[in-house]
Amino acid sequence: MKTMKRILCGVLSAALLAALAACGTTDGGGAANTAAPGNTGAPSTSAPAGATVLRGTCTTTPETVDPARGTGENDLMLYVNLYECLVAPNAEDGSPEPQLAERWEASEDGLSYTFQLRQDVTFADGTPLTSKDVKYSFDRMMTMGEGFAYVLKDVLAETVAVDEHTVEFKLSKTFGPFVSALTAFRIVNSALVEANTAAEGMYGDNGDYGTGYLLTHSAGSGPYVISSFTIHDTMVLTKNANYWNGAVPAAAPDTVEIQELTEASTTKMLMSNGDLDFVHGHQDSTTIAALTANDGIEVAELQEAGLNYFMMNTQKAPTDDVHIRRAISYACDYEQMKQILGGAPDANGPVPTNLFGYVDDFEGYSYDLDKAKEEIAASKYASDLANYPIQLDYIEGNGDTGKLVYLMASSLESLGFKVVINETPWVQFCNNEAEIATSPNVTNAFATAGYPEAGSILELKYASWTVGNWNQNEWMQDEKFDSMLNEALGTVDDDARIALYGQMQKYLVEEVVPSVYTCASVIKPIYNANNFEWPAKHATTEYNFYYADYIMK
């Protein structure tokens, strides 16, 4: 059985951060900063005179700069600028293409993959990339068991540095999407991390495995490096002067400053005053309308490989009854919710329609209160709804999702349910999901695939070994589903794997009903086109925030 370690989204203690800031480090990955309250004023910059500065916002800073630990949207938007992978997702369809590796081949039995590394890659401090760095990065991630490690848990048996520029991955069992999955695994500078590893830590001879250093420093080969990082306040990136893939374009911003900001009135003030160049893509419709009324302020609509979900706790009354879950699915006014989110595309089942492995072979749900009443009548709670209130939580400051929640609550109340709504701060929202007892009946959130294939989101959302994270309030722990998932992931033939993904989607929609699939996930960052050009859209969300492609004016 796979297991998944997780980082709770709790705020790191001030004592720890102060200690980190006081510690000396080997230069090469940026400077640490102590934690500070969220920024509510105009950003300031220490960029050199004449340097171009791109100023933006995020819903929350990552908890760490360590690519072995984060999986969230804001984590990946940062990591893509600091670190690189053996393969990267293609801009058009997300399929894997060479990045740090120049080619690869699989053994006939599908149990070994050999990658040839590029020989011209250097990290930001000038250290050449070798197979040692790749082995170190994978060994480190799998030992730590955080971030995306669950994807290869019980799959990756050994990473072998065959020679200086050849790496072999030995698998314990076949894993069809192995190469696609590598788009989620980033390579760190082993020499730099080892030089800044504390001897005392939870990883035996590896001490703290560099986790203290990588809280606030970068150790990658990407086009930017961390200049300063203040958790839950501001992160500052500067161009990597030693970038191996040619100089970072002169037109790209020299410095990027991203501050944590969710308060709508402050967002509007700073953007309207010209103190920000862009704001994160989870603004409410009122903020979008107010800002785009200004000359040159535009919206970049980016469809993600994800959905908006009402995630229903299958272990807590009354949503432990499949008839209640079906009733909630029929109580969702899908069309109105899509309009609330600005005309978001349809969601048809648990897998986004733009993701490899989506199959439309089932009967989904539509807004139908009569059918909802029929399902309630068939449930074991039909005569006692009042004694089983539905707790419905959503994330504070997350655009218009609150409007979706109140619309859903109105429908449920018209059916006789009592609904308790909680607008929950992000940290608390994450921590609530760690245990069944503290998980609400229903949460509303967006979730996206970690790599460009259906298996990614099916595992993230519904596997027994990924419970306890904010993406999965469903708590299915369904042996049949787990067996189907393992069979699909172990199938190397693409067509056969897609067919198995289709069976899983049908099973979820027609039999288990763990979630309401509201609509496709679309984020809408707002930017000042007078100040910079937004790059061409990329199929993978975080690469739309690859600052080396931005053109400053």
Side-chain angles (χ1 to χ4, degrees), residues 355-367:
L355 200 59
F356 178 81
Y358 163 76
V359 176
D360 181 2
D361 187 28
F362 47 81
E363 183 177 353
Y365 294 85
S366 59
Y367 182 48

Side-chain angles (χ1 to χ4, degrees), residues 53-73:
V53 181
L54 180 72
R55 302 156 301 171
T57 71
C58 60
T59 54
T60 179
T61 68
E63 296 287 330
T64 172
V65 187
D66 191 339
R69 307 182 79 175
T71 62
E73 178 181 273

Side-chain angles (χ1 to χ4, degrees), residues 118-140:
R118 294 181 61 115
Q119 299 187 26
D120 56 350
V121 178
T122 58
F123 291 102
D125 66 355
T127 303
L129 167 78
T130 70
S131 58
K132 176 181 182 290
D133 300 297
V134 177
K135 175 176 171 56
Y136 178 86
S137 298
F138 277 86
D139 288 352
R140 180 177 182 270

Side-chain angles (χ1 to χ4, degrees), residues 262-542:
T262 58
E263 210 283 315
S265 62
T266 305
T267 296
K268 287 184 280 191
M269 177 188 71
L270 295 178
M271 192 71 180
S272 298
N273 290 347
D275 293 318
L276 288 170
D277 300 305
F278 75 92
V279 294
H280 66 75
H282 298 280
Q283 308 296 331
D284 59 51
S285 55
T286 302
T287 300
I288 294 174
L291 289 177
T292 54
N294 295 306
D295 180 53
I297 305 299
E298 299 181 6
V299 177
E301 294 196 15
L302 309 173
Q303 183 173 346
E304 301 184 289
L307 304 175
N308 179 270
Y309 298 82
F310 282 93
M311 309 179 191
M312 298 181 283
N313 191 327
T314 63
Q315 305 291 326
K316 179 174 286 188
T319 48
D320 60 340
D321 188 319
V322 69
H323 293 290
I324 295 296
R325 298 197 298 274
R326 288 193 179 114
I328 295 173
S329 297
Y330 283 123
C332 179
D333 190 338
Y334 298 92
E335 290 302 318
Q336 190 168 347
M337 289 192 182
K338 287 190 297 181
Q339 292 309 308
I340 287 173
L341 294 178
D346 288 335
N348 189 29
V351 173
T353 59
N354 61 345
L355 200 59
F356 178 81
Y358 163 76
V359 176
D360 181 2
D361 187 28
F362 47 81
E363 183 177 353
Y365 294 85
S366 59
Y367 182 48
D368 192 328
L369 294 182
D370 289 334
K371 286 186 177 180
K373 291 174 184 176
E374 292 174 6
E375 292 293 343
I376 293 170
S379 76
K380 61 186 177 183
Y381 300 106
S383 62
D384 203 17
L385 285 184
N387 288 322
Y388 292 95
I390 291 178
Q391 181 182 337
L392 179 49
D393 289 7
Y394 69 101
I395 302 166
E396 180 181 61
N398 195 22
D400 282 319
T401 53
K403 296 177 182 178
L404 307 185
V405 167
Y406 277 92
L407 179 59
M408 174 66 87
S410 177
S411 288
L412 295 178
E413 288 171 346
S414 75
L415 295 168
F417 290 100
K418 179 180 179 181
V419 181
V420 178
I421 297 175
N422 292 320
E423 182 180 13
T424 312
W426 170 244
V427 171
Q428 182 182 341
F429 186 89
C430 293
N431 289 343
N432 287 348
E433 301 300 318
E435 305 292 340
I436 292 178
T438 53
S439 296
N441 293 104
V442 184
T443 61
N444 181 271
F446 294 91
T448 58
Y451 59 89
E453 185 160 323
S456 171
I457 203 157
L458 291 170
E459 182 176 22
L460 174 70
K461 289 290 295 123
Y462 302 115
S464 292
W465 52 88
T466 58
V467 296
N469 79 89
W470 68 269
N471 291 286
Q472 193 187 140
N473 185 61
E474 291 86 354
W475 291 94
M476 273 177 41
Q477 298 176 297
D478 184 305
E479 290 184 4
K480 179 178 178 179
F481 177 84
D482 290 344
S483 178
M484 296 169 75
L485 177 61
N486 280 323
E487 181 182 3
L489 293 177
T491 301
V492 176
D493 181 80
D494 286 349
D495 292 337
R497 191 164 70 255
I498 289 174
L500 292 169
Y501 286 152
Q503 294 175 22
M504 296 163 63
Q505 293 166 66
K506 184 179 179 70
Y507 176 66
L508 289 171
V509 172
E510 296 184 355
E511 297 187 43
V512 184
V513 200
S515 314
V516 177
Y517 310 109
T518 313
C519 59
S521 176
V522 177
I523 61 172
K524 298 181 178 182
I526 307 168
Y527 68 101
N528 190 334
N530 297 313
N531 295 349
F532 73 98
E533 292 182 19
W534 196 276
K537 293 181 181 178
H538 196 289
T540 303
T541 303
E542 60 265 28

